[in-house]
Amino acid sequence: MIPASFEYHRPRSVQEALALLATHGDGARVVAGGHSLVPMMKLRMARPDHLVDLQELAELRQIRSETGYLVIGAMTTQHELIGSELLAAKCPILRETSLLIADPQVRYCGTLGGNVANGDPGNDMPAVMMVLAASYRIAGAGGERQVAARDFYRGTFATALQEGEILTEIRIPVLAAGHGYAYEKQKRKVGDYATAAAAVVLSRTGGKCTAASVALTNVADTPLFAADAGAALVGTALDAKAIAQAVRLAQKIARPSPDGRGPADFRTHVAGVMVRRAIERAAGRAA
Amino acid sequence: MTVDTETAQARTQKLEGLGTKRKRVEDARFTQGKGNYVDDIKLPGMLFGDFVRSPYGHARIKSINKDAALKVPGVKAVLTAADLKPLKLHYMPTLAGDVQAVLADEKVLFQGQEVAFVVAEDRYSAADAVDLVEVEYQELPALVDPTKAMAPGAPELRDDLKGKTSGAHGPRKHHNHIFTWETGDAAATDKALKSAQVVAKEYIVYQRVHPCPLETCGCVASMDKINGHLTVWGTFQAPHAVRTVASLISGIPEHKIRIISPDIGGGFGNKVGVYPGYICSIVASIVTGVPVKWIEDRMENLQATAFARDYHMTGEIAATKDGRITGLRCHVLADHGAFDACADPTKYPAGFFNICTGSYDIPAAHVTVDGVYTNKAPGGVAYRCSFRVTEASYFIERMVDVLARKLNMDPAELRRKNFIRKEQFPYTSALGWEYDSGDYHTALDKALKAVDYPGLRSEQKRNREAFARGETRKLMGIGVSFFTEIVGAGPIKNCDILGLGMFDSCEIRVHPTGSAIARLGTISQGQGHATTFAQILATEIGIPASNITVEEGDTDTAPYGLGTYGSRSTPVAGAATAMAGRKIRAKAQMIAAYLLEVHDDDLEWDIDRFRVKGAPERFKTMAEIAFSAYNKVPPGMEPGLEAVSYYDPPNMTYPFGAYVCVVDVDVDTGITEVRRFYALDDCGTRINPMIIEGQVHGGLTEALAIAMGQEMAYDELGNLKNASLLDFFLPTAVETPAWETDYTTTPSPHHPIGAKGVGESPNVGGVSAFSNAVNDAFAHAGLTHTQMPHDHWRVWKTAERLKLTAAA
Ligand SMILES: Cc1cc2nc3c(=O)[nH]c(=O)nc-3n(C[C@H](O)[C@H](O)[C@H](O)COP(=O)(O)OP(=O)(O)OC[C@H]3O[C@@H](n4cnc5c(N)ncnc54)[C@H](O)[C@@H]3O)c2cc1C
């Protein structure tokens, strides 16, 4: 449980951080809250020679409203997400999800940027970012680009992030007023990753569902955007039959591997239960 | 003479003696982070040891190359079996009469086994060097299932035992067999089963779990080459036994070895045994001439130091149609892992498993236990229980429920019907134990009344009807468990470890100003000995508990004792404390008589003083007597006020209790919620009710963990799949329900103060209460038994098998 030795850097600006990454190449790794990376270093599953700590970058630690978007700096901690009045009013699913991540100690350190950049299918925020249609702003030596959360995840610990890049902010299109939302997560205990979890955001007008998106956590090697499940809800009264159909469609794309949380059939089943419960709760919340 | 106007009640309160909810004196330092644990010990020039461990469950070591590791700056040595062989230290004796490899010799037998010991200037270079020791392995087929290990063509695991047809506990009938232990009357049991009106049979597995104390194992060994003294600080639950074993293994005379157990962060049996880390640290300190520290990390603790349980039990229980139990048979396949390192009294290779007739008056019983080697870590310790008592209690409490199902009888009623009755005590069981005292009917009746058992059963009936109508997806389960423990090992006539009788000891010195120090052969790991033993003494010798220091854990100062595990501290060392106190009081009486110029017999004891019978205004307080002991004693008497007692208990003690657990099982998710848990404990005389409550809370939480989620999960290759707290279930406050505690008091007739011990009862009785509740939730659907742990997926699978699940 002792990491291999490494050099520690603490840049004062994004530019300086990018320069350090460029200098040290694939031996360098960004560290944010350290609550995914440091455990892996202690197990020597990650062995960076250079750690570039983003802690001093106040520019990456803010939550603000822009026209059409909510913008959250990558270094915003999960604890700060819970405390934000702005998010509570405009995007309450973030608080609900944050409260299901680990425990207060982890949330004081763990950042939103780290959670979505990590690429561990067990992380809870990526599925939420998918239902929110969020995109990630990424800075690199060659300038900036944006990648949609729905296109970002490639495999376990494999994302669209390239060597030398830093995820700077998360951009969430403003949600419809009166939208319904829910994040449902089954876990074995506090601090555990999901056996299966589901994020749902939907809207309805006059009893009919007008928009819906569904995504799944920890039932494949990446988070899963369940496009068909969401589509199956649109235009329905969110009745039992429609929900059952959405559940089936979501389960169809789940490919969990067996682990201590249970065999694959159980985890697929739970994914379905989480989807159903999330839809029901979101429907109950939609104005 | 002092004029004393205090009331008897005020004087009693001042003592904070027996029965007082005295606050724990230990907590001031622990809550401020001022505890002194092994890893807090830092000595000048100290080096750090770290292990290269086997990644395989079973493999032959083809070669070990240390060169790269030795080149790491700061690395002082890399020890392997080849280095220990000339010293004959590559194997060490276990507490169970087997030997265990200190460093793997030619073969590794379990994942995580110690292969090489790196010694370096700091932890970091040690860890780097561990990575660089090159070990070439040839993988061999692994055995993780004791049934398969006993198959005729199974690979032979222990090369060192090749051809040996008998071991420490008699004949071996297979190359992976360790022993057969048999007790009871086979013929009578056979007859009872054959002639029974009803027989229930069940295969019950108590899965392998780990005590997982928050502080892992470790030590600091320091060899002083000038005077030849070896000092070892370590996480030892039995420091004196470690000293004796260390002397026998190393050849260092026992008086030159000092073992110190500083504060210990939980033991639960994990810290009873002797581990390769201790031996390697000692050897490394001898070789290097400086102190060497070794501290396990969490994964090493889970992988390599002692596990518990892994009992595969086949039970048959016979009864009349109206529910009188007439016979019980049990066969156990006991998976001991790669080496037999159980910590049991020598004559009991299966511990006190023969307490498995439980709280019931069963006329005939027969037990056989076969110990088996597999490619798993050694251990088999008494995890918060007296030796194999949890296994026994789980077995009988499940069997009684299985029988109740078969008889279509209420499980509480079946228990009542078969209890040993109050007037039968002392009661000798069919498997040979003499139960000291008990009043089971009163305890169970009180429990059932407290939870409104009939009310719960009718609520359950309504719940099942609602479930059938599709109105709820939750099923209610009610678990009743009634346990009898056997603790306080034990009488020397039947209990020893490595030939050391299992007595315990206390030595008291009363200082001139009326305060005192007491030293014991036990060692607290969180039980609060410094608090409770002072309370026993306060009542015995009339000195306030706050004026009594209790010290344990330093073999240079404490009297010899066998340590703390198996709930033995109160039954054995607590008794020694009371007896030593009585010696002090006897001498004090003679001094008081001399001072008051009366005959000894004219005095009577009064809380904190001796007074003259019929003239209560004439008295000498213990404080006054203590001072006189140092300047004015009767002619011919030695000055001073000290006593020592080595207590060999005449019998074990038999705490018991009635537990009721109510759960709600969500059949869609497999999640079981504990709605209510009521625990009534009878531990005899209650020394400190607050500490008892704390012990019960802790033990129940561990029982919850075991029943609902813990399992050391090995794959076919011998990989331990959950060697971290991410996957090995350790509940937090969030998963822990609120506990309701209650008690009855049935003192032990043979213990000087009537105390029986309580630390382990909740683990022993708790597991079956949870398990019975989960099984009960599905009883109406035809379930008789399902194996632990009752985690989400297993519960869901059970529901699925019973056709209670639905599409998501
Ligand atoms: C006990 C425990 C329980 C946990 N339970 C959960 C849980 O239930 N759900 C959950 O979602 N998470 C859980 N976590 C993980 C936790 O939320 C982490 O904090 C989070 O996943 C990563 O955030 P971080 O800031 O700590 O990132 P770090 O650990 O610092 O980094 C993680 C990875 O992301 C990269 N990275 C970080 N920031 C950036 C950036 N701005 N740009 C580019 N790359 C970056 C790092 O290089 C690294 O590869 C748990 C952690 C612990 C220790």
Side-chain angles (χ1 to χ4, degrees), chain B residues 236-266:
Chain B
F236 306 126
Q237 288 183 236
H240 284 96
V242 169
R243 185 183 72 192
T244 302
V245 173
S247 173
L248 292 173
I249 295 177
S250 67
I252 300 170
E254 201 168 348
H255 71 286
K256 291 193 169 186
I257 300 180
R258 180 178 181 192
I259 303 292
I260 302 174
S261 295
D263 283 329
I264 297 186

Short mmCIF file of all heavy atoms in Angstrom, two decimals, chain B residues 236-266:
data_model
loop_
_atom_site.label_atom_id
_atom_site.label_comp_id
_atom_site.label_asym_id
_atom_site.label_seq_id
_atom_site.Cartn_x
_atom_site.Cartn_y
_atom_site.Cartn_z
N PHE B 236 -0.18 -8.25 20.47
CA PHE B 236 -0.31 -9.61 20.99
C PHE B 236 -1.48 -9.71 21.97
O PHE B 236 -1.51 -9.01 22.97
CB PHE B 236 0.97 -10.03 21.73
CG PHE B 236 2.23 -9.87 20.92
CD1 PHE B 236 3.30 -9.14 21.42
CD2 PHE B 236 2.35 -10.47 19.67
CE1 PHE B 236 4.47 -9.00 20.68
CE2 PHE B 236 3.52 -10.33 18.93
CZ PHE B 236 4.59 -9.59 19.44
N GLN B 237 -2.39 -10.64 21.70
CA GLN B 237 -3.49 -10.86 22.64
C GLN B 237 -3.06 -11.73 23.80
O GLN B 237 -3.80 -11.88 24.77
CB GLN B 237 -4.69 -11.51 21.92
CG GLN B 237 -5.42 -10.55 20.98
CD GLN B 237 -6.64 -11.15 20.32
OE1 GLN B 237 -6.74 -11.15 19.11
NE2 GLN B 237 -7.60 -11.62 21.09
N ALA B 238 -1.87 -12.35 23.68
CA ALA B 238 -1.38 -13.21 24.76
C ALA B 238 0.13 -13.01 24.92
O ALA B 238 0.92 -13.85 24.52
CB ALA B 238 -1.70 -14.67 24.44
N PRO B 239 0.55 -11.88 25.51
CA PRO B 239 1.98 -11.56 25.54
C PRO B 239 2.86 -12.61 26.23
O PRO B 239 3.96 -12.90 25.74
CB PRO B 239 2.05 -10.21 26.26
CG PRO B 239 0.68 -9.92 26.78
CD PRO B 239 -0.28 -10.79 26.05
N HIS B 240 2.39 -13.18 27.33
CA HIS B 240 3.25 -14.16 28.01
C HIS B 240 3.46 -15.41 27.17
O HIS B 240 4.56 -15.94 27.09
CB HIS B 240 2.67 -14.53 29.38
CG HIS B 240 2.88 -13.46 30.40
ND1 HIS B 240 1.92 -12.51 30.69
CD2 HIS B 240 3.94 -13.17 31.17
CE1 HIS B 240 2.39 -11.69 31.60
NE2 HIS B 240 3.62 -12.05 31.92
N ALA B 241 2.37 -15.86 26.54
CA ALA B 241 2.50 -17.04 25.69
C ALA B 241 3.48 -16.76 24.56
O ALA B 241 4.30 -17.61 24.19
CB ALA B 241 1.15 -17.46 25.14
N VAL B 242 3.44 -15.54 24.02
CA VAL B 242 4.37 -15.18 22.95
C VAL B 242 5.81 -15.22 23.48
O VAL B 242 6.72 -15.71 22.80
CB VAL B 242 4.04 -13.77 22.39
CG1 VAL B 242 5.16 -13.28 21.48
CG2 VAL B 242 2.72 -13.80 21.63
N ARG B 243 6.01 -14.77 24.71
CA ARG B 243 7.37 -14.81 25.28
C ARG B 243 7.87 -16.25 25.36
O ARG B 243 9.00 -16.54 24.96
CB ARG B 243 7.38 -14.18 26.68
CG ARG B 243 8.78 -14.10 27.27
CD ARG B 243 8.78 -13.55 28.68
NE ARG B 243 8.25 -14.52 29.63
CZ ARG B 243 7.92 -14.22 30.89
NH1 ARG B 243 8.06 -12.98 31.35
NH2 ARG B 243 7.44 -15.15 31.69
N THR B 244 7.01 -17.13 25.86
CA THR B 244 7.44 -18.53 26.00
C THR B 244 7.73 -19.14 24.63
O THR B 244 8.75 -19.79 24.43
CB THR B 244 6.35 -19.33 26.74
OG1 THR B 244 6.13 -18.71 28.01
CG2 THR B 244 6.77 -20.78 26.95
N VAL B 245 6.82 -18.89 23.68
CA VAL B 245 7.03 -19.44 22.34
C VAL B 245 8.30 -18.86 21.72
O VAL B 245 9.12 -19.58 21.14
CB VAL B 245 5.80 -19.15 21.43
CG1 VAL B 245 6.08 -19.57 19.99
CG2 VAL B 245 4.57 -19.88 21.96
N ALA B 246 8.49 -17.55 21.88
CA ALA B 246 9.68 -16.90 21.31
C ALA B 246 10.94 -17.52 21.91
O ALA B 246 11.93 -17.75 21.20
CB ALA B 246 9.65 -15.40 21.56
N SER B 247 10.91 -17.82 23.18
CA SER B 247 12.08 -18.42 23.82
C SER B 247 12.32 -19.82 23.29
O SER B 247 13.44 -20.21 22.96
CB SER B 247 11.88 -18.44 25.34
OG SER B 247 12.92 -19.15 25.94
N LEU B 248 11.23 -20.60 23.17
CA LEU B 248 11.37 -21.98 22.69
C LEU B 248 11.88 -21.99 21.25
O LEU B 248 12.70 -22.82 20.89
CB LEU B 248 10.02 -22.71 22.77
CG LEU B 248 9.52 -22.99 24.19
CD1 LEU B 248 8.09 -23.55 24.15
CD2 LEU B 248 10.46 -23.95 24.92
N ILE B 249 11.40 -21.06 20.43
CA ILE B 249 11.81 -21.05 19.02
C ILE B 249 13.24 -20.55 18.86
O ILE B 249 14.04 -21.10 18.12
CB ILE B 249 10.86 -20.16 18.17
CG1 ILE B 249 9.46 -20.74 18.16
CG2 ILE B 249 11.38 -20.03 16.75
CD1 ILE B 249 8.46 -19.88 17.39
N SER B 250 13.56 -19.48 19.59
CA SER B 250 14.84 -18.80 19.33
C SER B 250 15.97 -19.32 20.19
O SER B 250 17.14 -19.11 19.88
CB SER B 250 14.67 -17.30 19.60
OG SER B 250 14.47 -17.09 20.99
N GLY B 251 15.63 -19.98 21.27
CA GLY B 251 16.68 -20.42 22.18
C GLY B 251 17.15 -19.32 23.11
O GLY B 251 18.02 -19.54 23.95
N ILE B 252 16.62 -18.12 22.98
CA ILE B 252 16.99 -17.05 23.90
C ILE B 252 16.30 -17.36 25.24
O ILE B 252 15.11 -17.65 25.26
CB ILE B 252 16.50 -15.68 23.39
CG1 ILE B 252 17.13 -15.37 22.02
CG2 ILE B 252 16.82 -14.56 24.39
CD1 ILE B 252 16.52 -14.15 21.33
N PRO B 253 17.05 -17.32 26.36
CA PRO B 253 16.42 -17.65 27.63
C PRO B 253 15.23 -16.73 27.91
O PRO B 253 15.27 -15.54 27.58
CB PRO B 253 17.52 -17.46 28.67
CG PRO B 253 18.76 -17.17 27.94
CD PRO B 253 18.47 -16.95 26.49
N GLU B 254 14.21 -17.29 28.53
CA GLU B 254 12.96 -16.55 28.67
C GLU B 254 13.13 -15.26 29.48
O GLU B 254 12.45 -14.26 29.23
CB GLU B 254 11.87 -17.44 29.29
CG GLU B 254 10.47 -16.95 28.99
CD GLU B 254 9.38 -17.95 29.32
OE1 GLU B 254 9.68 -19.13 29.58
OE2 GLU B 254 8.20 -17.55 29.32
N HIS B 255 14.05 -15.26 30.44
CA HIS B 255 14.22 -14.05 31.27
C HIS B 255 14.86 -12.92 30.48
O HIS B 255 14.87 -11.78 30.91
CB HIS B 255 15.04 -14.36 32.53
CG HIS B 255 16.50 -14.62 32.27
ND1 HIS B 255 16.94 -15.80 31.71
CD2 HIS B 255 17.60 -13.86 32.48
CE1 HIS B 255 18.26 -15.75 31.59
NE2 HIS B 255 18.68 -14.59 32.05
N LYS B 256 15.41 -13.26 29.32
CA LYS B 256 16.00 -12.19 28.50
C LYS B 256 15.06 -11.72 27.41
O LYS B 256 15.46 -11.00 26.50
CB LYS B 256 17.32 -12.69 27.89
CG LYS B 256 18.40 -12.88 28.93
CD LYS B 256 19.77 -13.06 28.29
CE LYS B 256 20.85 -12.98 29.35
NZ LYS B 256 22.19 -13.01 28.74
N ILE B 257 13.84 -12.17 27.46
CA ILE B 257 12.86 -11.73 26.47
C ILE B 257 11.78 -10.92 27.17
O ILE B 257 11.26 -11.33 28.21
CB ILE B 257 12.20 -12.93 25.75
CG1 ILE B 257 13.28 -13.76 25.05
CG2 ILE B 257 11.16 -12.44 24.74
CD1 ILE B 257 12.74 -14.97 24.32
N ARG B 258 11.49 -9.79 26.62
CA ARG B 258 10.42 -8.96 27.17
C ARG B 258 9.41 -8.67 26.06
O ARG B 258 9.78 -8.15 25.01
CB ARG B 258 11.02 -7.65 27.69
CG ARG B 258 10.00 -6.72 28.29
CD ARG B 258 10.71 -5.49 28.81
NE ARG B 258 9.78 -4.56 29.42
CZ ARG B 258 10.09 -3.31 29.75
NH1 ARG B 258 11.33 -2.85 29.54
NH2 ARG B 258 9.20 -2.52 30.30
N ILE B 259 8.18 -9.03 26.30
CA ILE B 259 7.12 -8.81 25.31
C ILE B 259 6.20 -7.72 25.85
O ILE B 259 5.76 -7.78 27.00
CB ILE B 259 6.30 -10.10 25.08
CG1 ILE B 259 7.20 -11.26 24.64
CG2 ILE B 259 5.18 -9.84 24.06
CD1 ILE B 259 7.83 -11.11 23.28
N ILE B 260 5.94 -6.73 25.02
CA ILE B 260 5.07 -5.64 25.45
C ILE B 260 3.93 -5.48 24.45
O ILE B 260 4.16 -5.29 23.25
CB ILE B 260 5.84 -4.31 25.55
CG1 ILE B 260 7.01 -4.46 26.53
CG2 ILE B 260 4.91 -3.17 25.98
CD1 ILE B 260 7.93 -3.26 26.60
N SER B 261 2.72 -5.59 24.94
CA SER B 261 1.56 -5.24 24.11
C SER B 261 1.15 -3.84 24.50
O SER B 261 0.64 -3.62 25.58
CB SER B 261 0.39 -6.19 24.38
OG SER B 261 0.72 -7.49 23.98
N PRO B 262 1.35 -2.87 23.64
CA PRO B 262 0.90 -1.51 23.96
C PRO B 262 -0.60 -1.42 23.71
O PRO B 262 -1.29 -2.45 23.75
CB PRO B 262 1.71 -0.65 22.99
CG PRO B 262 2.02 -1.53 21.83
CD PRO B 262 2.00 -2.95 22.33
N ASP B 263 -1.16 -0.27 23.47
CA ASP B 263 -2.57 -0.20 23.13
C ASP B 263 -2.82 -1.04 21.88
O ASP B 263 -2.01 -1.04 20.95
CB ASP B 263 -2.98 1.26 22.84
CG ASP B 263 -3.14 2.05 24.13
OD1 ASP B 263 -3.51 1.45 25.16
OD2 ASP B 263 -2.88 3.27 24.10
N ILE B 264 -3.94 -1.74 21.90
CA ILE B 264 -4.26 -2.61 20.76
C ILE B 264 -5.60 -2.17 20.19
O ILE B 264 -6.56 -2.02 20.93
CB ILE B 264 -4.30 -4.09 21.19
CG1 ILE B 264 -2.90 -4.50 21.67
CG2 ILE B 264 -4.75 -4.97 20.04
CD1 ILE B 264 -2.78 -5.97 22.00
N GLY B 265 -5.62 -1.99 18.89
CA GLY B 265 -6.82 -1.50 18.24
C GLY B 265 -7.73 -2.62 17.76
O GLY B 265 -7.97 -2.77 16.58
N GLY B 266 -8.20 -3.42 18.71
CA GLY B 266 -9.09 -4.53 18.35
C GLY B 266 -8.28 -5.76 18.02
O GLY B 266 -7.22 -5.68 17.39
#
